[in-house]
Amino acid sequence: MSSGYMQNPFASSHSLDTNPFDDPPQRSAGAAEQARLEELRRREQDLERREAELNAKSDHLRRNGRNNFPPFFPLIFHSIKDEIPEASQPLITRLFQLWLVLFATLIVNMVACIFILTAGAAGGGSDLGSSIGYLIVITILSFLLWYRPIYNGYMKEQALYYYFYFFFGGFHLLFSLYMVIGIPGYELHLPESEAEDDN
């Protein structure tokens, strides 16, 4: 009686007619093993390809870094700890702090010119315009023309960057001395303002 329960009632007695509810035919053990090994090889190659891509990305990030400066709109990678040799890191840190002091000084100058303008002093508008121009131009040019060259010089150990630093850093130093001294009579006058002064 148990043999009746073991038979599939839906099994077909005809060789051309197959039952859709039947289990798929079993392949030979060798073919199944071969298919499984082929699938494992394909997955292994895919994993090796992904690993190579990730290694290439990590090498690129390690060499070039991810843009992180300025913080509000990253344009370049700047990391003294990662890019500058350990012996030169204190010097480059000081130069970066010097550049930040310059930036802060230009901001204080602009705020002072805003107070001069609100106090109603003569020439307050031109002073404010000059301070805004100095803030934008000097900040960008000082970073690109003297700070970044000395940073690159210590990072890449190339003499050309040192020459750029000494040339543009020296020019900036002379310009700063000129601005500190404030030689009277050497202000920039536009032709219209000269005509107004004559009247």
Side-chain angles (χ1 to χ4, degrees):
M1 185 149 176
S2 65
S3 64
Y5 290 113
M6 301 298 281
Q7 293 179 353
N8 184 353
F10 300 106
S12 175
S13 58
H14 300 8
S15 61
L16 297 177
D17 187 28
T18 59
N19 185 351
F21 299 106
D22 277 342
D23 289 333
Q26 294 291 327
R27 295 186 218 171
S28 66
E33 184 69 21
Q34 186 65 23
R36 190 174 71 78
L37 288 174
E38 187 62 34
E39 177 67 19
L40 286 175
R41 278 191 214 108
R42 187 187 62 77
R43 286 183 179 179
E44 184 179 7
Q45 288 173 351
D46 187 45
L47 286 174
E48 287 174 358
R49 181 185 55 81
R50 288 182 184 177
E51 183 181 11
E53 288 176 2
L54 287 174
N55 286 339
K57 284 182 183 178
S58 67
D59 286 343
H60 175 73
L61 286 176
R62 187 174 36 79
R63 280 195 313 269
N64 303 320
R66 190 173 296 203
N67 293 346
N68 63 353
F69 190 82
F72 55 87
F73 189 73
L75 295 173
I76 60 171
F77 181 71
H78 181 267
S79 176
I80 295 172
K81 183 180 142 200
D82 295 333
E83 292 187 314
I84 304 298
E86 191 173 340
S88 305
Q89 286 179 5
L91 175 65
I92 298 300
T93 302
R94 284 284 179 185
L95 288 171
F96 183 63
Q97 291 170 348
L98 179 67
W99 181 81
L100 289 174
V101 167
L102 170 69
F103 180 60
T105 303
L106 292 171
I107 289 174
V108 168
N109 181 43
M110 185 184 72
V111 170
C113 288
I114 290 172
F115 285 132
I116 290 173
L117 179 66
T118 57
S126 64
D127 289 343
L128 179 61
S130 297
S131 69
I132 293 171
Y134 289 153
L135 177 66
I136 294 169
V137 173
I138 291 176
T139 300
I140 293 171
L141 289 182
S142 64
F143 185 84
L144 295 177
L145 295 178
W146 66 259
Y147 174 71
R148 195 62 187 183
I150 195 68
Y151 181 91
N152 287 340
Y154 276 97
M155 178 177 64
K156 299 177 182 176
E157 295 294 330
Q158 292 182 356
L160 182 63
Y161 289 112
Y162 297 112
Y163 293 131
F164 282 143
Y165 166 73
F166 286 118
F167 179 76
F168 290 113
F171 178 76
H172 186 220
L173 183 63
L174 291 175
F175 177 75
S176 298
L177 287 174
Y178 165 74
M179 295 302 285
V180 166
I181 294 171
I183 302 171
Y186 284 97
E187 300 93 17
L188 176 65
H189 288 289
L190 299 175
E192 296 144 13
S193 62
E194 289 177 3
E196 290 172 6
D197 290 342
D198 292 338
N199 290 335

